[in-house]
Amino acid sequence: MSENDPQKNLPPTPPPASSPNWGLMILMAVIAGILLVAFVFDGALAPPAKVMKLDEFQNDYRSGLIVQHDQKNFPIEVITSDGSSEATITAYRFRDTPQFKKATFYMPFTDSDALRALCNRYGIVSSAEQTAPDLSQALRVLTTEQLQRIGEEGRILVAPHPPVILNLAEQPVIVGELRLPLGGQDKVNPKDVEPVRVDFNRGFQGPAVGSLLGDGINYRVDNSSWGLFLANSLPIILIVLLFIFFMRAQTGGPGGAAKFSRSRARLLDPNSNHVTFDDVAGISEAKEEVWEIVEFLRNPKKFQNLGGTIPKGVLMVGPPGTGKTLLARAIAGEAEVPFYTISGSDFVEMFVGVGASRVRDMFAEAKKHAPCLIFIDEIDAVGRHRGHGVGGGHDEREQTLNALLVEMDGFTANENVIVIAATNRVDVLDPALLRPGRFDRQVMVHLPDAGGREQILKVHARKVKLAPDVDLKPIARATTGFSGAELANVVNEAALIAARKNEHAVTQDDLEDAREKVRWGRERRSLEISDKEKYMTAIHEVGHAICLLKTELAKSLPLHKVTIIPRGPALGVTMMLPDEDQHSEYKRELLDYIVMAMGGRCAEQVVLGDISGGARGDIQQATAVARKMVCVYGMSEKLGPIEYGTNHNEVFLARDMSQTTRNFSEHTARIIDEEIQRIVTENYERALRILTENRERLILIAEKLIEYETLSGKQVQELLDTGTLSEPPHRELPPDIPDAPQQVQPELNLEDNDQDSPSLP
């Protein structure tokens, strides 16, 4: 390693901070102590009890699952308090259902409403059997009230044979089986029971508890003042402690003001960043410019021997999705120096001066590790014009910007710290930030051309499995205006489409479908459209196609496909794909474009004799093109090559609020309106003439479009020229949605159910 190798000057990786947060530890200890005291006074040191609801406890008590006969070892207690209406039942419950004994019972059947209601309730019906069973060992139920009580306790057995009414010679009787409760002489093993706890309200549920337990239960009053105090004050104490904790965390704990104003820039770990310049494609010029910075950091003497100095700042400007942040990550991957990354929004806070303090701290930390790089993403969040806007601007943001300006080029020398920033709104940045000495160069990251798009597709295609016959050149030519992020989305959507089709690799058709989905939206085949509206849509789209094919615009903007399958907000789409990127606009092509845009509305008028509101987007496009021709491109013979104020770009309220974009008189405005109307009207009439002359072919192509739903550009041209299709298209339907696997339910053995399952309480 040479002496001038920047890697030699890298600081050692600082060990992770290991000092404990004593404030947090003390706070947690206080909360734990309060909870411990509350639990101790609440009886939490006792064995954990199972919490039950009152209705569950009633069912278990009546069915014998609650230990009732051993009040000495397993008591049932009701704990109340004079200061509260809440009360608690403590008891013991069998862990497993004990084996109850069964017995046969019988009782005379009398024709009374109460007994008939009980029979209907428990499914007791008359039996055709006339033979009297052996009832010598059976229990005799004397009254209807006893039968009702046994039924409410769940002791009447309905399986395998429910109780029946036998019509004997002397008198009808009810015969069935019931469970006997545990006898008082049965011994209870402590391992077989568990403590239970039931919380109830004495005011609402007290009478039900009294009637259930009777008078032989121990009632105990608990008037612990500590328990009441903690129960009432614990929520307030916890809220206060949590409030203190969050306030300390917001301000950084001890020395909070100092920590709150510390820089939030993160030092990028070289081991976690695997992005290099090999992963950046389609922006060759931008890569060359930023590569000089990397090379300067690696070998500064190469430039210093010629008197060159390292640039202090690089501003990457371009539309969203063109790869500005990706390029910064590639610089971090290639540069062998510390790389700090931060967002412009991390400087802006509600307190004035915090952002400026963070800027100063960030540069102070970067100077310790110089030479190094600082990347500020979305710098327009902090670098906007100062002193503009309603109310005089934003004090906190302007103070932060002032600190950034001074740190980049002020009285104090700032050597070997390079600032790289990215934005897509360079027009809103403060002029002082853009001057040489701060951001010495601006790297324009444009939308990629056809070759660049092919390179980007190849980079993203590394992550997916492509079929051997896939050619990315047609996809690159057909994605004019796509950014790098959109191209990555195309490749990803193609992989998803191939997966839905259960294919082993991504094919060319998958890429085509993905491109159409990203550009025009997904097909909405589930949308229900009437036959009338479908015919109108077909006429509309074929009108666009014929007007395109009958003008010179078809040479530079060929017809790709016509479909009446809804995509996005449109009921149908006429797709054009240029063979190459176009960087200039010509008057003849613009006029033909207006003809093509008006073709849908004119087709409705020629065939249907009526017009619909589906052409509102076409009218908007045609009007916008005509306005540009008159006011921007100077293509009007009356007005000449003069630019008139029609700046429809994004308005920066802080700067453009008091400015006017109109720089012409009322008379000129009237002429502009007349010229725009003339251009649109003349080309509307051209479209009417074209479609009137080709009315029969228009109807024919529309009928074929309804039949096949989608026609390619070559098929439309063939129908327009010959009226026939040599190779009709194959209508492909989307793959069916796979059914969710059905869970197989296990078969129930009804015959053995009573023997295998535990007895019901």
Side-chain angles (χ1 to χ4, degrees):
M1 186 179 293
S2 63
E3 295 181 358
N4 296 326
D5 195 336
Q7 207 169 25
K8 184 178 180 181
N9 299 326
L10 284 175
T13 303
S18 59
S19 58
N21 190 341
W22 292 107
L24 178 60
M25 295 178 64
I26 293 173
L27 176 63
M28 298 303 295
V30 171
I31 295 177
I34 294 174
L35 294 176
L36 180 60
V37 172
F39 286 156
V40 169
F41 282 94
D42 197 30
L45 294 181
K50 178 181 178 181
V51 180
M52 301 180 63
K53 295 182 179 179
L54 183 58
D55 54 352
E56 296 176 347
F57 180 79
Q58 289 175 341
N59 294 333
D60 290 352
Y61 184 86
R62 290 169 177 169
S63 58
L65 291 180
I66 303 298
V67 180
Q68 307 173 22
H69 57 276
D70 193 353
Q71 293 295 316
K72 179 179 179 181
N73 298 318
F74 305 100
I76 301 177
E77 291 185 336
V78 178
I79 304 173
T80 61
S81 175
D82 293 339
S84 175
S85 61
E86 299 297 326
T88 303
I89 303 174
T90 59
Y92 291 85
R93 181 186 184 276
F94 289 100
R95 297 180 184 273
D96 299 323
T97 304
Q99 296 297 325
F100 292 97
K101 298 179 181 179
K102 294 188 289 186
T104 304
F105 75 92
Y106 76 97
M107 65 172 290
F109 176 79
T110 59
D111 191 8
S112 63
D113 296 339
L115 188 56
R116 286 190 176 277
L118 290 177
C119 292
N120 295 332
R121 180 177 179 181
Y122 300 114
I124 303 174
V125 297
S126 299
S127 174
E129 185 178 354
Q130 301 296 330
T131 303
D134 184 10
L135 302 179
S136 60
Q137 302 296 328
L139 301 176
R140 179 181 175 87
V141 181
L142 299 178
T143 63
T144 304
E145 289 76 11
Q146 290 178 329
L147 179 64
Q148 182 178 1
R149 180 174 58 82
I150 294 173
E152 291 177 352
E153 294 176 356
R155 294 166 53 192
I156 297 179
L157 296 178
V158 296
H161 304 293
V164 296
I165 303 173
L166 297 179
N167 297 319
L168 301 180
E170 299 177 358
Q171 184 180 3
V173 295
I174 300 175
V175 181
E177 288 185 334
L178 57 79
R179 295 194 187 100
L180 296 177
L182 288 173
Q185 69 280 5
D186 294 341
K187 295 182 179 180
V188 179
N189 190 344
K191 296 182 179 180
D192 297 336
V193 297
E194 61 179 349
V196 295
R197 172 178 174 175
V198 182
D199 296 327
F200 67 96
N201 187 286
R202 288 190 295 170
F204 297 101
Q205 299 170 317
V209 173
S211 61
L212 176 70
L213 302 179
D215 299 332
I217 305 302
N218 181 25
Y219 286 82
R220 179 165 58 90
V221 180
D222 184 9
N223 289 325
S224 175
S225 59
W226 272 103
L228 294 176
F229 171 76
L230 290 175
N232 295 326
S233 61
L234 184 60
I236 301 176
I237 296 175
L238 289 177
I239 292 174
V240 172
L241 291 178
L242 289 176
F243 177 76
I244 296 174
F245 169 72
F246 284 118
M247 288 299 296
R248 289 168 63 88
Q250 182 71 16
T251 57
K259 284 192 175 182
F260 189 58
S261 60
R262 293 289 299 273
S263 171
R264 295 187 178 181
R266 297 171 295 277
L267 181 61
L268 190 63
D269 185 7
N271 298 325
S272 63
N273 182 27
H274 305 290
V275 179
T276 62
F277 280 109
D278 295 335
D279 301 314
V280 181
I283 46 176
S284 303
E285 295 80 5
K287 287 171 59 176
E288 291 176 2
E289 290 198 49
V290 297
W291 177 253
E292 292 181 2
I293 299 175
V294 177
E295 193 174 3
F296 190 99
L297 293 172
R298 289 183 174 181
N299 187 13
K301 281 192 174 182
K302 176 181 177 181
F303 298 89
Q304 292 174 354
N305 292 336
L306 299 176
T309 59
I310 188 171
K312 295 182 178 180
V314 176
L315 182 64
M316 293 188 291
V317 183
T322 50
K324 300 183 293 297
T325 305
L326 180 65
L327 186 59
R329 294 179 60 188
I331 296 173
E334 295 286 351
E336 299 173 352
V337 296
F339 192 93
Y340 290 90
T341 174
I342 193 172
S343 173
S345 60
D346 290 335
F347 294 108
V348 182
E349 291 288 348
M350 64 180 294
F351 305 108
V352 177
V354 174
S357 178
R358 289 178 179 175
V359 170
R360 290 189 291 268
D361 183 71
M362 179 182 66
F363 277 90
E365 190 71 18
K367 290 175 184 178
K368 295 177 183 178
H369 299 159
C372 71
L373 295 171
I374 298 176
F375 175 63
I376 305 177
D377 198 9
E378 304 295 344
I379 195 175
D380 53 277
V382 70
R384 296 196 174 195
H385 278 282
R386 292 170 293 177
H388 291 271
V390 180
H394 192 286
D395 290 337
E396 162 62 8
R397 184 167 56 230
E398 292 179 4
Q399 293 292 339
T400 307
L401 176 58
N402 292 337
L404 181 62
L405 296 176
V406 172
E407 290 293 336
M408 292 188 67
D409 187 22
F411 281 100
T412 305
N414 184 24
E415 298 179 355
N416 297 334
V417 177
I418 303 176
V419 180
I420 303 175
T423 182
N424 53 9
R425 291 299 307 272
V426 67
D427 56 309
V428 305
L429 296 180
D430 193 271
L433 193 63
L434 303 177
R435 72 164 177 83
R438 292 195 174 110
F439 284 105
D440 297 275
R441 64 176 63 178
Q442 294 187 16
V443 178
M444 303 301 298
V445 186
H446 298 285
L447 292 172
D449 55 9
R453 292 194 296 272
E454 183 178 357
Q455 296 176 7
I456 295 174
L457 288 173
K458 289 180 179 179
V459 169
H460 294 293
R462 300 174 189 168
K463 304 176 183 178
V464 299
K465 185 177 180 181
L466 296 179
D469 58 342
V470 169
D471 187 7
L472 296 177
K473 288 185 178 180
I475 304 298
R477 290 196 305 267
T479 50
T480 303
F482 275 42
S483 64
E486 291 174 320
L487 293 172
N489 193 21
V490 169
V491 176
N492 182 63
E493 288 290 345
L496 297 179
I497 292 173
R500 285 196 295 266
K501 295 180 180 178
N502 297 323
E503 298 175 347
H504 300 289
V506 178
T507 63
Q508 191 77 22
D509 293 338
D510 296 333
L511 288 170
E512 290 286 345
D513 295 340
R515 177 188 55 79
E516 294 178 1
K517 179 181 178 181
V518 173
R519 181 182 287 272
W520 290 289
R522 184 175 181 176
E523 294 181 351
R524 297 189 297 162
R525 293 181 177 269
S526 61
L527 182 64
E528 296 183 1
I529 304 176
S530 63
D531 294 338
K532 177 182 178 181
E533 196 164 11
K534 184 179 295 186
Y535 183 71
M536 184 274 296
T537 303
I539 292 294
H540 184 99
E541 299 303 330
V542 174
H544 287 306
I546 293 179
C547 288
L548 174 63
L549 296 175
K550 289 296 182 178
T551 58
E552 297 295 327
L553 183 63
K555 297 180 179 179
S556 59
L557 196 65
L559 178 65
H560 172 66
K561 184 186 295 185
V562 181
T563 178
I564 57 173
I565 300 175
R567 285 182 178 270
L571 298 179
V573 182
T574 302
M575 307 178 186
M576 292 84 67
L577 289 179
D579 295 331
E580 57 186 11
D581 295 345
Q582 290 185 340
H583 305 286
S584 301
E585 295 176 319
Y586 299 93
K587 180 178 180 179
R588 188 171 301 173
E589 292 181 353
L590 293 175
L591 295 175
D592 291 343
Y593 185 87
I594 297 176
V595 173
M596 185 271 299
M598 290 298 183
R601 180 186 175 98
C602 294
E604 296 176 10
Q605 183 175 348
V606 169
V607 177
L608 305 176
D610 196 3
I611 55 177
S612 68
R616 58 185 181 276
D618 304 331
I619 296 174
Q620 182 181 3
Q621 294 181 14
T623 306
V625 171
R627 188 175 299 277
K628 281 187 177 181
M629 292 177 62
V630 174
C631 301
V632 180
Y633 301 146
M635 295 180 180
S636 171
E637 297 179 358
K638 288 187 177 181
L639 297 173
I642 299 175
E643 191 272 337
Y644 297 95
T646 57
N647 185 12
H648 295 286
N649 295 331
E650 297 180 52
V651 176
F652 179 39
L653 186 63
R655 181 194 60 202
D656 301 330
M657 181 177 178
S658 60
Q659 297 181 3
T660 177
T661 59
R662 180 169 179 174
N663 54 3
F664 47 85
S665 64
E666 292 293 336
H667 177 70
T668 305
R670 186 180 300 109
I671 298 177
I672 291 174
D673 295 339
E674 292 174 355
E675 285 294 288
I676 294 174
Q677 184 179 8
R678 178 187 63 81
I679 292 175
V680 174
T681 304
E682 288 180 356
N683 291 280
Y684 184 87
E685 294 175 354
R686 282 181 58 196
L688 277 177
R689 290 195 298 269
I690 292 174
L691 295 175
T692 302
E693 295 172 358
N694 298 271
R695 186 177 185 276
E696 295 181 358
R697 295 297 169 88
L698 170 62
I699 298 175
L700 173 64
I701 299 174
E703 292 175 351
K704 294 294 183 182
L705 185 59
I706 294 175
E707 180 180 356
Y708 298 108
E709 290 188 343
T710 301
L711 295 175
S712 65
K714 294 181 180 180
Q715 292 167 345
V716 175
Q717 183 69 58
E718 183 181 3
L719 287 172
L720 184 61
D721 295 339
T722 63
T724 58
L725 276 178
S726 59
E727 296 181 0
H730 175 66
R731 183 175 179 180
E732 296 184 358
L733 297 177
D736 296 332
I737 300 176
D739 297 331
Q742 297 182 356
Q743 298 182 354
V744 180
Q745 299 292 339
E747 296 183 358
L748 298 178
N749 190 349
L750 300 179
E751 296 180 357
D752 299 333
N753 185 39
D754 185 63
Q755 299 178 2
D756 297 339
S757 60
S759 301
L760 296 175

